Amino acid sequence: MTVPSIYLASQSPRRQELLRQFGVSYELLLPANDENTESLEAVLPGEPPDNYVQRVCLLKAQAAIARASRRQLPPAPILTADTTVCLDGTILGKPFDDADARAVLARLSGTRHRVLTAVAITTDARTFHALSISHVWFRPLRQEEIERYVASGEPMGKAGAYGIQGKAAEFIMRIDGSYSGIMGLPLYETAALLRQVGVDF
């Protein structure tokens, strides 16, 4: 069996795309059907967004370690990440349905909000992690624009109900921070962590 450079414990096609920019060989380490991964993303009462995103990322790392052990996979570093959007201290996660997506986008309209992405690399010995913090400015959105965007299906499965790399790019006036971090995997921080565990790319 060929041992990958790393295991990627994420279903996000955007994270896979960003990893490929480095030329890092990876193997997906995805949960089985009986794993309740959504429960890992529950917000604790009064939990600050910065604490939340890092805690969830590390919980995902622990779950991935257990998954690799159960499957008796050859050892390799495991990459996990979690992204959240917050506005005025309130966490705006993945929308539950179209109505929730519309409500979230209406809240983001004409505001500056934060996008937080935590990333972790886990080896047999220890876990290394980092946090990327970016600010995003949305222009005011018309209701028909929100309706059209939600109808495209793009908001579903994305924190804050939008993807910067997709149709929502036209809503964004300015960013301050990491474009790749807003997409879901901050490349500067990820590269540093990969080098820290000896992954060449």
Side-chain angles (χ1 to χ4, degrees):
M1 176 185 289
T2 302
V3 180
S5 294
I6 65 168
Y7 294 109
L8 173 61
S10 172
Q11 302 185 62
S12 166
R14 296 167 298 283
R15 291 187 180 126
Q16 295 176 48
E17 174 189 339
L18 289 165
L19 263 186
R20 286 194 292 269
Q21 289 188 32
F22 284 158
V24 176
S25 67
Y26 64 87
E27 183 177 306
L28 293 177
L29 180 58
L30 301 181
N33 292 333
D34 60 352
E35 286 188 62
N36 183 13
T37 56
E38 292 298 317
S39 65
L40 301 179
E41 299 183 10
V43 182
L44 300 179
E47 186 172 27
D50 305 53
N51 293 8
Y52 165 78
V53 73
Q54 293 177 91
R55 180 180 62 82
V56 170
C57 181
L58 294 176
L59 285 175
K60 288 181 176 181
Q62 293 170 11
I65 292 167
R67 192 178 306 140
S69 176
R70 285 194 303 272
R71 297 175 188 175
Q72 300 182 323
L73 298 176
I78 299 171
L79 171 62
T80 54
D82 189 68
T83 299
T84 196
V85 171
C86 62
L87 177 65
D88 299 328
T90 300
I91 295 169
L92 303 176
K94 300 170 185 173
F96 302 114
D97 53 26
D98 285 359
D100 189 33
R102 285 192 289 270
V104 169
L105 290 164
R107 290 187 67 179
L108 294 178
S109 173
T111 70
R112 183 191 76 163
H113 58 273
R114 293 197 304 155
V115 180
L116 313 173
T117 296
V119 59
I121 302 278
T122 303
T123 67
D124 288 337
R126 57 180 298 191
T127 298
F128 302 88
H129 56 93
L131 176 64
S132 168
I133 302 176
S134 300
H135 293 88
V136 180
W137 283 257
F138 262 31
R139 65 170 172 78
L141 305 179
R142 300 188 306 277
Q143 185 59 39
E144 57 266 31
E145 290 180 301
I146 293 174
E147 295 288 348
R148 187 164 58 246
Y149 183 56
V150 171
S152 75
E154 189 174 287
M156 304 313 294
K158 296 180 178 66
Y162 76 92
I164 192 172
Q165 72 286 353
K167 297 176 185 296
E170 66 160 312
F171 304 156
I172 296 169
M173 299 165 56
R174 173 185 165 196
I175 70 168
D176 181 4
S178 167
Y179 180 87
S180 57
I182 298 167
M183 279 184 68
L185 189 68
L187 294 186
Y188 174 81
E189 289 83 356
T190 301
L193 293 176
L194 288 170
R195 291 192 175 100
Q196 203 167 354
V197 299
V199 175
D200 294 322
F201 52 90

